[in-house]
Amino acid sequence: MLESNFFTKFLQLSDIRTVGFILLLVALFKVINVLQKKKVSFSTRMITGTLIGLVLGVIVQGVAKFPENPGDIAWINELSGWYSFVGGGFIDLLKMLVVPLIFLSIIRVIMNMQGDNLGKLTTRTIGTLIGLTSVAALIGIALGVLFNLGQGFDVINNTAEIRESVSLAETIRGLLPSNIVSAMAEGNIVGVVIFSAFVGTSIRRLSKKYAETIEPFVKWVEASYKIIISVTMTIIKLMPYAVIALLANTIISNGIGVLASVGKFIVCLYLAVLIMLVVHMTIAMINGISPVAYIKNASEPLILAFTSRSSLGTLPVTIETLQNKFNVNEGVASFVASLGSNMGMNGCAGIYPALTTIMLAQITNTPIDISFCMMLLVIIAISSFGIAGLPGTATIAISVVISGMGMESYFPLLGAVIAVDPIIDMGRTMLNVSGTITSAISVDRGLKRDEAKENKSVKKAV
C-alpha cells in the first residue's frame, strides 16, 4: 500500500524512516521554540539551530549507511523534499520581500538625501565592492598556486557544460530595466535600484515646486516602508527553525563521501574564505569595530547565508543587521546591500573563479606567469558586475572568466567540482554577505567622516 503513487509521489511518505525524521525535525523545532520562550538571544538560537542541523544531517546519513549517491535512495529523496519544503519555503518568503523592500527603501533614502551624497554613495559603493572582490581574487590565485590545485586531479566522467557567456557591454545593458515589471519578476535587483533611483530623484526635484501634489505618494512610500519592515521582522523570527532544515538537507542531499574526490579544492576554498574574513574584520576594525564585535553582530546574516546559499535571500536580514547592529545609515545599508547582492561578490565572483581557473591551468599544463595572473585578475574584476545573488550563479561567473581567459574548451574538466557545488557554495555565499556588510560599514563611515569635515569647515568659515 505504501508503494502506491499516492504515498511515493504525492505524500512522499512511503518509508517509516521518512516519517520518523520528519517527526524528529518537528521535535527539534520544539527545542528552538522553548529557547525562544525562555528569551534566549536570537544569535544563540541561530547557532543552536545550525549545530542541530549539522548533527541531524549526519544522523540521517548514518542511518542510510553513508551512501555514495544519496539521490539513488528513495526515502532520502522523500525526506529531502520535506526538509526542502521547510528551509526552501523560508527562503522563498525572504525573497518575496526583496523587491518591495529595495524599491521602497531606495526611493525613501534618495528623496530624503541632502546635498551631493548620492554621487559619493554610488561611486564609493561600486569602488569598494569591486576592490574587495579583486583582493579576494588575489587570495584565490595565490592559494591555487600554493596548493598546486589540479595536479593529479581525476578528470574521468566529468560532464559539466559551460554556461553561455556574454560581453561586458551586453552584461551591463542587461541590467538596465527595459521593463520594470519584468525586472521585478526576474529579481533584477540592479534594475530595480536604477528605477527606484530615478523615482527618488524625481521626487527630490519636484518637492519644491509641487510639494502638495506629490505629498500623497511620499506618505505612501513612508507608510509602505514601515509595513514592509514589520513584515520582514515577522519572517526573520522564523530563521532559527529554517536553518535546521536548510543545513540538514544540504548534507542529506549531497552526502559526505562525495567530499573526498575534491577535498583539496574544498579545503583550499574554505581557507581562502577564512583569510578573506580576516581582511573584512581588519577593515571593520579600521572603522572602529573590533573583530569580536564584527563576528557577533554579523552572525545572523552570515549563518543564514551559509545555510541558505542565497545572498539575495539573505538581503532583508543583511539590511536589518547593518542598521540595528552596526549603526549604518538606513539609506546606505539599503543601497550598498542591494548592489552587493548582485555585483562584487567576494566568494562567487572573486575566490571561486580564481581557484577554478588556476586549477584548470594546472590540469592542462597552461603556464601560470605574471601576465596570466594579471589578466585573470582584470577579467574577474570586470566580470563581477551583475552576478545575481542566487544559488548556482557562481557557475555563470566561472564560465565568463574561463571564456575570457580562452579556456572555455576545458570547462568539462570542472565536473567533479560542480558536483559538490552546494557544499562549496555555503562558504562562498557567506563570504559574499560578509563582503557586502564590510563594504556598507566602510562606505557609511567614510561618508560620515566627510560630513564631519564639511561641518567643521563650515564652522571655521563662520
Side-chain angles (χ1 to χ4, degrees):
M1 181 179 176
L2 293 180
E3 294 180 358
S4 66
N5 285 336
F6 179 74
F7 286 99
T8 59
K9 303 294 185 182
F10 183 67
L11 291 182
Q12 291 188 308
L13 295 172
S14 64
D15 193 292
I16 190 64
R17 287 168 289 189
T18 305
V19 177
F21 278 113
I22 291 175
L23 293 176
L24 178 57
L25 179 65
V26 174
L28 293 172
F29 284 169
K30 182 63 178 177
V31 173
I32 297 296
N33 184 252
V34 170
L35 294 178
Q36 183 176 346
K37 289 181 176 179
K38 290 185 176 181
K39 306 297 183 182
V40 175
S41 70
F42 189 82
S43 297
T44 302
R45 281 182 276 139
M46 282 290 293
I47 294 172
T48 302
T50 302
L51 294 175
I52 290 175
L54 176 64
V55 173
L56 178 59
V58 173
I59 290 174
V60 173
Q61 283 289 312
V63 171
K65 298 180 180 179
F66 299 100
E68 185 175 342
N69 297 306
D72 295 338
I73 301 176
W75 72 270
I76 283 188
N77 284 329
E78 292 177 353
L79 186 62
S80 178
W82 280 102
Y83 279 20
S84 180
F85 164 73
V86 177
F90 173 77
I91 298 302
D92 290 339
L93 289 176
L94 282 177
K95 289 178 181 177
M96 171 187 73
L97 299 171
V98 170
V99 169
L101 179 61
I102 297 308
F103 176 70
L104 293 168
S105 61
I106 296 299
I107 291 177
R108 186 170 177 271
V109 66
I110 292 177
M111 72 183 190
N112 294 324
M113 190 173 285
Q114 302 296 323
D116 60 350
N117 283 345
L118 180 59
K120 288 182 180 180
L121 175 60
T122 303
T123 303
R124 293 191 181 186
T125 297
I126 295 175
T128 304
L129 289 170
I130 303 304
L132 281 177
T133 300
S134 299
V135 173
L138 278 173
I139 293 172
I141 292 170
L143 288 180
V145 173
L146 183 64
F147 274 67
N148 290 320
L149 281 184
Q151 291 191 4
F153 192 75
D154 183 8
V155 298
I156 300 175
N157 295 326
N158 290 331
T159 58
E161 295 181 1
I162 194 166
R163 303 287 187 91
E164 182 180 355
S165 60
V166 295
S167 67
L168 175 62
E170 290 177 290
T171 300
I172 295 176
R173 184 181 175 186
L175 297 175
L176 299 178
S178 59
N179 183 327
I180 187 58
V181 175
S182 176
M184 288 179 172
E186 294 171 0
N188 178 1
I189 299 304
V190 176
V192 175
V193 169
I194 291 172
F195 179 75
S196 303
F198 276 113
V199 174
T201 303
S202 295
I203 291 174
R204 286 185 63 191
R205 187 170 61 248
L206 296 171
S207 60
K208 295 181 180 178
K209 192 174 181 181
Y210 301 100
E212 290 185 5
T213 304
I214 65 173
E215 185 180 4
F217 183 79
V218 171
K219 288 183 176 179
W220 177 83
V221 170
E222 293 287 356
S224 298
Y225 180 77
K226 293 291 185 183
I227 292 170
I228 203 68
I229 289 297
S230 177
V231 174
T232 300
M233 297 308 299
T234 299
I235 294 175
I236 286 175
K237 290 178 182 178
L238 302 174
M239 193 158 51
Y241 302 91
V243 296
I244 298 177
L246 285 165
L247 186 53
N249 192 47
T250 299
I251 298 172
I252 291 169
S253 302
N254 297 279
I256 297 175
V258 73
L259 305 181
S261 63
V262 285
K264 189 176 182 181
F265 184 91
I266 294 173
V267 169
C268 190
L269 182 135
Y270 275 91
L271 178 58
V273 167
L274 288 175
I275 293 173
M276 196 61 200
L277 282 174
V278 172
V279 173
H280 292 166
M281 287 187 284
T282 302
I283 294 173
M285 188 164 59
I286 292 172
N287 287 283
I289 301 170
S290 71
V292 174
Y294 179 83
I295 293 297
K296 180 181 178 181
N297 293 335
S299 61
E300 292 162 16
L302 294 185
I303 290 173
L304 179 59
F306 185 82
T307 53
S308 70
R309 299 166 41 228
S310 175
S311 302
L312 195 57
T314 310
L315 186 54
V317 183
T318 303
I319 293 173
E320 188 268 342
T321 298
L322 284 169
Q323 292 177 202
N324 297 332
K325 298 291 183 65
F326 291 106
N327 297 317
V328 172
N329 176 273
E330 186 179 292
V332 174
S334 300
F335 190 84
V336 179
S338 301
L339 289 185
S341 65
N342 284 267
M343 66 169 60
M345 295 191 290
N346 294 185
C348 291
I351 287 175
Y352 186 53
L355 286 177
T356 51
T357 305
I358 293 297
M359 186 176 76
L360 277 182
Q362 300 204 93
I363 289 175
T364 58
N365 294 317
T366 302
I368 303 176
D369 51 21
I370 294 296
S371 61
F372 179 93
C373 294
M374 291 300 296
M375 182 178 178
L376 176 58
L377 186 62
V378 170
I379 290 174
I380 287 175
I382 294 174
S383 66
S384 64
F385 284 89
I387 302 297
L390 298 170
T393 50
T395 308
I396 298 176
I398 61 173
S399 299
V400 173
V401 172
I402 291 170
S403 297
M405 295 296 292
M407 303 172 72
E408 60 270 16
S409 61
Y410 302 141
F411 190 83
L413 302 181
L414 296 176
V417 171
I418 294 175
V420 295
D421 189 75
I423 302 298
I424 297 169
D425 198 29
M426 296 164 77
R428 286 190 320 230
T429 308
M430 180 180 69
L431 189 66
N432 294 341
V433 173
S434 180
T436 298
I437 292 172
T438 304
S439 297
I441 292 170
S442 180
V443 171
D444 178 71
R445 300 301 190 269
L447 290 174
K448 287 177 178 176
R449 284 193 292 268
D450 288 350
E451 186 177 351
K453 288 180 182 178
E454 290 175 4
N455 292 336
K456 190 174 182 180
S457 298
V458 170
K459 288 181 179 179
K460 284 185 178 180
V462 173

